[in-house]
Amino acid sequence: MYINYINLLHKDYLKQSYEDLTPSDVTYLVNIFYHQNCSHGILAEQLFVSESNVDQIIKRLERNEYITRVPDERYRNPNIKISEIIKSNNVIG
């Protein structure tokens, strides 16, 4: 019961402060924050979702400037890292 209350407060906070973030977006951002320069595949494994799901959310987060993609010579997909906007606003961490 208390967990549901916390989830409701969290959703309200996101709506007021970051209109374009959903709770699932925050899950992705937290994982990216703690695993900087991870690939789509690694993120999919950590979150137990498909790579296409990761790609869809990563595109939205990049469009809203929450993350950046950094090209990696070793892999086809670029690595993902938190943008400076997130770091400077202390959204995570």
Side-chain angles (χ1 to χ4, degrees):
M1 185 78 133
Y2 186 69
I3 297 292
N4 291 337
Y5 176 70
I6 291 173
N7 285 334
L8 288 173
L9 289 177
H10 186 249
K11 278 185 173 181
D12 288 342
Y13 171 76
L14 287 177
K15 285 180 185 176
Q16 293 171 3
S17 303
Y18 303 94
E19 296 169 353
D20 53 353
L21 273 181
T22 66
S24 64
D25 292 344
V26 174
T27 301
Y28 279 77
L29 287 173
V30 168
N31 275 280
I32 294 166
F33 179 81
Y34 287 109
H35 304 283
Q36 289 286 315
N37 294 317
C38 65
S39 68
H40 286 74
I42 291 171
L43 194 57
E45 286 176 16
Q46 291 171 345
L47 297 173
F48 302 103
V49 296
S50 67
E51 284 192 48
S52 61
N53 184 305
V54 169
D55 192 50
Q56 179 183 14
I57 291 180
I58 293 303
K59 284 179 183 176
R60 184 174 65 237
L61 291 173
E62 185 178 35
R63 186 174 49 245
N64 293 329
E65 299 180 349
Y66 290 115
I67 62 164
T68 56
R69 294 191 210 200
V70 180
D72 189 344
E73 299 166 357
R74 298 172 292 171
Y75 304 107
R76 183 176 63 95
N77 287 334
N79 289 336
I80 306 160
K81 64 184 228 178
I82 296 291
S83 72
E84 294 303 317
I85 294 171
I86 294 292
K87 288 179 183 177
S88 64
N89 289 337
N90 290 323
V91 173
I92 300 172

